[in-house]
Amino acid sequence: MKRILGIVALTLIFATTSFAAETGGLAHQNTGCGLGTMLFQANANDSSLLQAFQATTNGTLGNQTFGISSGTSECTQPKKFVQNERLNEFVYANLDSLAKDIAQGRGESVQTLAELMQIAPERREGFYRNLQSHFTEIFPRENVEYAQVVDTIVLLSSQG
Amino acid sequence: MRRPLAYPLLFLLLFPPPPVSAETNTYTAELKESAKRLRLQEHRYWHALLHYKTGVFGTESLVDDRNFFLSPRGKTDPAAELDAAIDGFFAQGEEEQTLPRCRFPARYDWLIQRLAADLSRLPEVSCRTLEENLKRIDAKSASLVFASGHMNAPASMFGHTLLRFDSSYESPLLSYAVNYAARIDRRDNGLAYAFKGIFGLYPGYFSILPYYDKVKEYSNMDQRDLWEYRLNLTEDDVRRMVLHVMELQGIYSDYFFFKENCSYDLLFLLEVAAPSARLTDRFRGFTIPIDTLKAVRSEGLVSDPVFRPSQARKIRHMASSLDEANIRKARSVLDNTVSPREILADGMPDTTKGRILDLASETIQLRYAKRQYTKEEYLKRFLEVLAARSTIPGTESGLSPLPVPEPPEGGHGSSRVALAAGIREDDVFLEASGRPAYHDLLDADDGFTPGSQIEFSRATVRYYPDTGRLRLQQWDLIHILSLAGRDTFFRPVSWKFRTGFATKPFPGGSDALVFSLNPGGGMTWDTRPLGLVHVLLEAEVNVAGKYSPDYTGGVGLVAGILRPMTGSWKILLEARQIFGVLGDEKRGREFSAVLRQGISLHRHHALFVDVGRTVSPGLHYNEAKFSWNIYF
């Protein structure tokens, strides 16, 4: 059985090499503390057999380990919610989805945000509306950093 | 952040524990005695915890990292490892990573319980990092998550599985996901990559990361749908599984693409959680992720799944709620020809404006993930669109719910055998064929990616009763086809690759076994009335002694339509012309037209009816065939 698989596999290899341009794999761009930094980016070489092959082998480039608490230490820390490490990590890692959900006034990331901030279920609808109407204060510039976003959100929720 | 790896075994060898007291000695002997009496070294659970498998060459653990074993003979000797574990009870020290009881908590929990060990007679240990991690993970329940196929990568239809520890948080994004994967080397080229992956030359490691990172990776980057199956496990079951994952931190096993892969190694975790489940033993030759999901389901471990659509599927759904003119508006926002403010100034209802801008922002994100925008372009457009969007108040989308496809485990089995009868010109023939994996274009789409095909090693034997001729009609080593529809937002390239052997007729009534290699690429459009209309440019090389010289090389074109007629009936109409350009140019020329129909009668049965005509210089024939397919 293993030998047959080996033969099949070898054929696949020769097939693969003719298409393989480069192994790019995943690039986890976690440099920076603002928008557009924590997205996984696809291999530029998008539709080759190689990618098809990678999909099954599911390789990682060694940047995924035991990330039980992920670091936000290279960034400026928020002023208010210093105690809430989970909130900081979540906002840091999901800033782009949060921006989208806040603008739309709904979505899984604002729901998660509300839960992490312990907003009571009956107050959440109002919380979402409040954030939505202050979008440009939460995200005033393209280079806004996550700590400022947390600070603004905390301030808004204490007023609302 | 990466943590330094621990080397407990090495540490113990270099710095043996201080001399032990007589009391310790007696208790060690006592525990070893009762372990022997209970035959714990043969216990199924001990074997599950250490990933032992017994085969013709004896018992061996599939874990290859020496640091996973306390005994130098641990990899092949469950009894020696058990003795070493009992010695480990009495290890003392400050450094948590060197204390066996902190390093291998699942083993020790089980041993304490089985041996009814008297904790007061054991040294006290405190495992602070472990406790902190457990508190942080806060696992209350667990889910098995299946990542389905990527639209344009048929091989990804095999799927991928990961495990999720669900906490007391309501939001699953805050859960932790456990993943097993090969750690590849960035400098490897395609050849090395494939070779190492198949022959176990990459180390496979477990990782544990927030689930939101995995959602970003699969839904947003890879555009794969996720299916989340809640496991029927108690909090104690889940705790054992978490402890076992902690044991596997920084521990590698050789990764084998076909068997000991991402899905196979997760089964060990499930066996640790549910000791009565028989999972790893079901997979001997190779492990297809979807089959592991089916196995887990048949053990009664999962119920119905929650569906998490990929970003691409969400974008398509949003687009389906808008008319052509409005989709074009979203497109112009993307292309920067219309500003988001102009959309706001338009006289449309607010909900329509909202949908146009939502469609634009999702697609901007997707394009950035695909590196079609620079970071600057992305940030500018993304924030502009969102700022405009935020001025439309309201928290309701008003969108109809996204249609949920058939769950992956509901599809046909990966293996297929078929019996067929047919006629070529005036000659009646009978056929038998089989393939170990995986999906043919005409097989039922439920649970698979429509327009995708990937088949390994499909072999067909044909017998002509009148002449007594028996032939290996066809043996496709691999046949992949990806017909991915293009639309306003997605522009994938369709492609195919086939290689294998086939018996081809030659003029004068003879035939010969030909080896061929046949790649192609082109485009597909998903048109409503016609189905998937596709045009691909192809190249083909055929090798056989009967050609003069021994081969032909050709280029050509294939065009066709694949259309689902009803839920269980599909047709494929295709015409193909190849022109010989190298070698035996004349014999390389071939025209063929086929009409294939697939009718699935049941999840495990389907009828295929094929008719076709083939024309090449000095040769032409018609063929019709009726086949019965059984999936398992």
Side-chain angles (χ1 to χ4, degrees):
Chain A
M1 191 66 207
K2 276 205 165 149
R3 181 161 298 179
I4 295 173
L5 289 172
I7 294 167
V8 173
L10 280 171
T11 314
L12 191 62
I13 292 166
F14 292 122
T16 310
T17 43
S18 58
F19 281 77
E22 52 155 25
T23 44
L26 318 180
H28 194 176
Q29 288 206 327
N30 53 357
T31 47
C33 308
L35 287 163
T37 54
M38 287 298 286
L39 289 176
F40 279 96
Q41 296 209 327
N43 191 345
N45 172 16
D46 200 23
S47 63
S48 66
L49 256 176
L50 177 73
Q51 200 207 11
F53 198 77
Q54 275 186 333
T56 48
T57 314
N58 182 47
T60 64
L61 285 166
N63 51 8
Q64 304 194 0
T65 48
F66 271 57
I68 294 166
S69 55
S70 60
T72 57
S73 54
E74 68 263 42
C75 304
T76 317
Q77 296 300 305
K79 294 186 206 79
K80 321 257 188 253
F81 254 63
V82 277
Q83 297 302 316
N84 201 335
E85 199 190 343
R86 290 302 293 265
L87 175 73
N88 291 347
E89 283 179 14
F90 179 77
V91 175
Y92 168 67
N94 295 277
L95 204 54
D96 296 70
S97 306
L98 258 181
K100 200 169 61 189
D101 283 5
I102 288 174
Q104 297 179 7
R106 64 168 179 277
E108 198 177 14
S109 26
V110 278
Q111 282 168 19
T112 308
L113 179 79
E115 192 185 355
L116 282 168
M117 293 182 64
Q118 295 172 335
I119 309 280
E122 65 277 8
R123 286 186 49 224
R124 288 192 186 172
E125 201 68 12
F127 174 70
Y128 304 150
R129 281 175 207 278
N130 187 21
L131 296 186
Q132 186 184 39
S133 58
H134 293 90
F135 180 85
T136 47
E137 286 161 54
I138 304 169
F139 295 97
R141 300 177 304 283
E142 285 147 29
N143 62 354
V144 64
E145 289 198 2
Y146 102 91
Q148 290 165 268
V149 171
V150 173
D151 285 339
T152 319
I153 289 174
V154 170
L155 188 71
L156 283 169
S157 68
S158 64
Q159 292 165 347
Chain B
M1 272 203 312
R2 215 181 290 180
R3 287 155 188 277
L5 301 182
Y7 299 95
L9 174 69
L10 189 65
F11 191 89
L12 284 175
L13 287 174
L14 293 176
F15 309 99
V20 286
S21 67
E23 148 67 14
T24 302
N25 261 333
T26 18
Y27 197 41
T28 314
E30 228 174 275
L31 287 175
K32 284 185 181 173
E33 193 48 46
S34 61
K36 277 212 183 64
R37 205 177 51 246
L38 293 165
R39 308 179 76 81
L40 291 189
Q41 77 279 6
E42 289 162 25
H43 200 285
R44 226 178 92 78
Y45 201 70
W46 182 246
H47 285 231
L49 281 169
L50 282 129
H51 302 202
Y52 286 126
K53 282 286 154 209
T54 304
V56 277
F57 303 112
T59 299
E60 196 185 13
S61 170
L62 297 182
V63 174
D64 296 289
D65 199 319
R66 296 174 62 96
N67 293 318
F68 188 63
F69 306 99
L70 293 163
S71 158
R73 288 184 290 139
K75 184 167 163 66
T76 52
D77 191 343
E81 184 60 26
L82 182 64
D83 267 357
I86 291 172
D87 288 332
F89 267 122
F90 302 93
Q92 297 186 44
E94 290 299 307
E95 184 53 54
E96 194 176 323
Q97 288 296 334
T98 66
L99 281 175
R101 279 168 72 186
C102 295
R103 189 63 187 85
F104 302 107
R107 276 180 224 179
Y108 282 96
D109 271 16
W110 184 72
L111 285 176
I112 287 170
Q113 185 218 333
R114 283 280 146 175
L115 297 169
D118 180 356
L119 292 177
S120 67
R121 294 176 72 188
L122 298 175
E124 242 181 76
V125 292
S126 75
C127 311
R128 273 190 40 222
T129 315
L130 178 71
E131 292 305 327
E132 273 167 31
N133 285 337
L134 292 182
K135 209 173 134 201
R136 180 76 188 242
I137 295 169
D138 180 32
K140 300 286 179 217
S141 61
S143 304
L144 187 65
V145 180
F146 180 84
S148 68
H150 179 288
M151 178 176 62
N152 203 18
S156 68
M157 274 198 295
F158 288 118
H160 172 64
T161 50
L162 47 113
L163 197 70
R164 197 179 73 190
F165 294 137
D166 296 316
S167 64
S168 22
Y169 283 118
E170 217 175 286
S171 169
L173 291 182
L174 298 171
S175 299
Y176 281 96
V178 175
N179 192 45
Y180 179 74
R183 187 170 294 172
I184 61 173
D185 188 332
R186 194 187 286 275
R187 291 160 303 185
D188 284 346
N189 62 24
L191 178 73
Y193 180 85
F195 185 84
K196 288 177 157 181
I198 288 160
F199 294 103
L201 298 174
Y202 283 124
Y205 283 94
F206 279 94
S207 67
I208 182 164
L209 286 170
Y211 188 55
Y212 52 70
D213 275 345
K214 289 285 150 192
V215 170
K216 278 192 277 184
E217 183 183 344
Y218 285 98
S219 308
N220 299 7
M221 191 202 93
D222 284 352
Q223 303 304 335
R224 297 170 76 167
D225 299 323
L226 296 173
W227 296 87
E228 305 165 351
Y229 296 81
R230 173 61 62 91
L231 288 158
N232 301 327
L233 296 173
T234 65
E235 199 176 323
D236 278 344
D237 296 339
V238 175
R239 181 185 152 85
R240 285 198 299 276
M241 195 155 54
V242 176
L243 291 178
H244 188 51
V245 170
M246 294 296 133
E247 296 181 339
L248 290 161
Q249 171 168 12
I251 296 293
Y252 76 88
S253 304
D254 295 339
Y255 186 98
F256 291 90
F257 165 65
F258 283 111
K259 179 164 181 265
E260 292 165 37
N261 55 24
C262 56
S263 291
Y264 183 82
D265 271 60
L266 280 191
L267 297 179
F268 279 111
L269 303 185
L270 293 174
E271 285 183 346
V272 166
S276 62
R278 296 189 69 82
L279 295 167
T280 50
D281 285 345
R282 292 172 181 237
F283 299 93
R284 298 214 174 260
F286 48 102
T287 317
I288 296 176
I290 180 72
D291 291 341
T292 68
L293 176 62
K294 287 176 186 170
V296 172
R297 174 142 239 181
S298 75
E299 289 285 347
L301 285 173
V302 292
S303 34
D304 288 335
V306 172
F307 179 62
R308 183 183 289 274
S310 70
Q311 196 174 27
R313 194 183 281 274
K314 280 192 235 165
I315 288 172
R316 290 216 168 87
H317 179 60
M318 284 176 167
S320 73
S321 76
L322 291 167
D323 60 25
E324 270 305 314
N326 287 329
I327 290 175
R328 270 199 300 277
K329 281 179 194 158
R331 183 72 213 258
S332 358
V333 173
L334 280 182
D335 295 341
N336 233 356
T337 51
V338 168
S339 85
R341 277 175 228 295
E342 285 171 65
I343 300 285
L344 286 181
D346 208 309
M348 298 174 283
D350 269 1
T351 50
T352 312
K353 290 181 203 169
R355 282 180 202 175
I356 292 172
L357 293 172
D358 291 351
L359 181 57
S361 61
E362 287 294 342
T363 314
I364 288 168
Q365 234 186 349
L366 181 115
R367 286 192 175 183
Y368 176 54
K370 288 187 163 186
R371 298 191 174 165
Q372 290 165 358
Y373 292 144
T374 63
K375 190 175 164 186
E376 288 67 36
E377 283 174 313
Y378 161 72
L379 288 179
K380 188 172 178 303
R381 283 171 209 210
F382 190 57
L383 273 193
E384 245 177 38
V385 171
L386 293 186
R389 174 64 180 85
S390 70
T391 62
I392 304 167
T395 59
E396 293 298 318
S397 78
L399 268 182
S400 61
L402 189 143
V404 177
E406 183 74 18
E409 83 279 11
H412 63 74
S414 327
S415 306
R416 190 181 81 187
V417 289
L419 289 174
I423 184 163
R424 174 177 284 189
E425 287 299 292
D426 297 324
D427 300 327
V428 172
F429 61 82
L430 300 169
E431 271 185 5
S433 74
R435 64 135 205 255
Y438 182 69
H439 180 72
D440 174 345
L441 215 48
L442 285 186
D443 291 336
D445 278 335
D446 289 348
F448 295 85
T449 316
S452 289
Q453 163 170 320
I454 181 161
E455 283 196 309
F456 283 110
S457 196
R458 172 162 129 189
T460 307
V461 178
R462 183 180 281 196
Y463 176 62
Y464 291 91
D466 291 345
T467 55
R469 263 193 302 173
L470 180 68
R471 294 288 185 268
L472 173 64
Q473 184 60 28
Q474 201 167 349
W475 183 25
D476 281 344
L477 298 178
I478 186 164
H479 190 171
I480 303 181
L481 188 60
S482 176
L483 303 177
R486 297 164 77 88
D487 57 34
T488 319
F489 298 100
F490 300 94
R491 301 288 165 88
V493 173
S494 295
W495 57 276
K496 69 174 277 186
F497 183 81
R498 184 180 69 83
T499 188
F501 300 87
T503 297
K504 285 195 168 222
F506 281 76
S510 61
D511 59 18
L513 193 65
V514 175
F515 173 76
S516 10
L517 197 73
N518 173 211
M523 294 180 191
T524 301
W525 295 269
D526 193 353
T527 60
R528 278 295 131 74
L530 285 175
L532 287 175
V533 177
H534 53 278
V535 180
L536 274 74
L537 282 170
E538 289 196 15
E540 185 175 65
V541 175
N542 294 307
V543 182
K546 260 202 173 285
Y547 293 117
S548 52
D550 297 339
Y551 71 99
T552 74
V555 290
L557 198 71
V558 60
I561 296 167
L562 174 70
R563 188 180 197 282
M565 305 299 283
T566 67
S568 56
W569 176 27
K570 276 199 282 191
I571 62 167
L572 173 69
L573 181 65
E574 227 171 44
R576 179 172 184 264
Q577 174 72 57
I578 299 286
F579 301 97
V581 292
L582 289 170
D584 195 339
E585 291 175 24
K586 189 177 164 208
R587 290 257 63 80
R589 196 160 95 212
E590 188 181 87
F591 168 83
S592 63
V594 289
L595 173 64
R596 300 185 63 201
Q597 301 187 64
I599 301 144
S600 62
L601 304 171
H602 175 268
R603 207 168 118 195
H604 305 299
H605 296 271
L607 288 179
F608 286 5
V609 184
D610 303 352
V611 292
R613 178 171 176 76
T614 306
V615 182
S616 66
L619 188 75
H620 58 86
Y621 57 88
N622 299 323
E623 187 174 301
K625 185 167 93 177
F626 176 88
S627 51
W628 183 284
N629 297 273
I630 302 160
Y631 305 88
F632 59 100

